[in-house]
Amino acid sequence: MKDENVIWHQHAISKQDRAEQKKHKPCVLWFTGLSGSGKSTVAGALEHALNELNVHTYLLDGDNVRHGLCKDLSFTDEDRQENIRRVGEVAKLMVDAGLVVLSAFISPFSAERKLVRELVGEGEFVEVFLDTPIDICETRDPKGLYLKARAGEIKNFTGIDSDYEKPTSAEITLNTGENSISESVEQLITYLKANGVIS
C-alpha cells in the first residue's frame, strides 16, 4: 500500500554523477542457480578480481541477508519471493549509489528475477545462470542440505521438493562442473568489459 503523503525526493547528485566519480558503470550481476552450483564462490572470486581493478562493488549473499534484512522470513514460496523483493530493492539503491552489485541467490522463480530486472535501468541487470547439474551440486553439498532434504528433514528445498525455473535468456551461463572458478571469472570480466561496465 502506498501512502499519498510519501513523496520521492529527487536529490541533486545523480546516479550518473556517482558513476563518473567511480569511473565505471553501475549494475547488478544476479547469480542464480541451485544450492551448491557455485554462486557465492564465483561471485566472491569476481568481487576480488574487480577490487583489484579498482571497481567499487558490494556482494549480497543469500545466507548473509537472512541474518538481518530477511531474518523474519521462512522458506515458503511466499517468503522466498519477499526475500528477493527486499534484496532487489537494496540492489536498486546500491546501483543508484554507483556500485557494481553482485547478488548470489537461488532465486528459483523467473517472475522474481524479472521483478528485480525491472527495478533497475536498461542494461543494468545481468543475469548469471549457474547451470551446474544437480548431481554435481549434491556431491559438493557443503552444508549437508541435500542429504537433509532427501531424508525429509528440510521441506521446500529447491531442486528436491521445490521447483527451480531455469532462466531462458540469461546474459551469461556458467557451468562450474566443467569450468574452473578462474575461467568463470574470466568470462564475467570479458562480458563486463565488452558491455562497457568496466574499462
Side-chain angles (χ1 to χ4, degrees):
M1 297 289 291
K2 289 190 177 181
D3 188 319
E4 62 181 17
N5 297 312
V6 179
I7 311 262
W8 182 266
H9 185 80
Q10 191 63 44
H11 297 289
I13 303 300
S14 70
K15 176 170 58 178
Q16 180 63 31
D17 294 327
R18 298 182 191 103
E20 287 176 5
Q21 184 185 60
K22 295 181 186 308
K23 298 180 173 51
H24 58 75
K25 291 182 181 177
C27 70
V28 179
L29 287 142
W30 192 271
F31 292 81
T32 177
L34 296 172
S35 179
S37 61
K39 299 180 299 300
S40 294
T41 302
V42 174
L46 176 63
E47 185 177 40
H48 186 270
L50 290 173
N51 183 263
E52 293 289 309
L53 297 171
N54 294 315
V55 176
H56 196 174
T57 62
Y58 195 85
L59 174 54
L60 292 166
D61 179 78
D63 280 352
N64 290 359
V65 299
R66 283 186 176 271
H67 282 276
L69 179 69
C70 300
K71 68 180 179 181
D72 59 321
L73 300 177
S74 69
F75 288 90
T76 64
D77 286 354
E78 294 76 16
D79 277 7
R80 283 179 160 192
Q81 290 163 12
E82 174 60 14
N83 181 55
I84 297 304
R85 187 197 69 78
R86 291 182 193 181
V87 170
E89 291 290 350
V90 170
K92 175 185 176 182
L93 292 172
M94 289 183 165
V95 166
D96 192 55
L99 278 64
V100 172
V101 185
L102 300 90
S103 298
F105 294 83
I106 293 172
S107 46
F109 306 118
S110 57
E112 63 193 17
R113 298 191 300 265
K114 181 174 181 286
L115 180 147
V116 180
R117 183 184 290 272
E118 292 173 350
L119 286 174
V120 296
E122 183 71 29
E124 291 180 344
F125 184 90
V126 180
E127 189 171 47
V128 182
F129 174 35
L130 279 288
D131 190 15
T132 306
I134 191 169
D135 58 328
I136 292 177
C137 295
E138 287 198 62
T139 59
R140 294 172 178 169
D141 203 12
K143 305 171 200 171
L145 300 178
Y146 282 101
L147 285 173
K148 290 179 180 178
R150 293 286 187 195
E153 296 173 25
I154 299 177
K155 301 297 181 188
N156 302 314
F157 191 79
T158 304
I160 304 298
D161 60 350
S162 184
D163 289 338
Y164 178 79
E165 298 172 2
K166 289 187 175 185
T168 56
S169 55
E171 279 76 12
I172 301 170
T173 299
L174 304 172
N175 183 340
T176 59
E178 296 178 355
N179 301 318
S180 68
I181 300 302
S182 60
E183 287 171 335
S184 296
V185 169
E186 184 178 347
Q187 186 177 338
L188 290 160
I189 293 287
T190 298
Y191 177 91
L192 293 174
K193 287 180 176 179
N195 286 273
V197 175
I198 61 175
S199 58

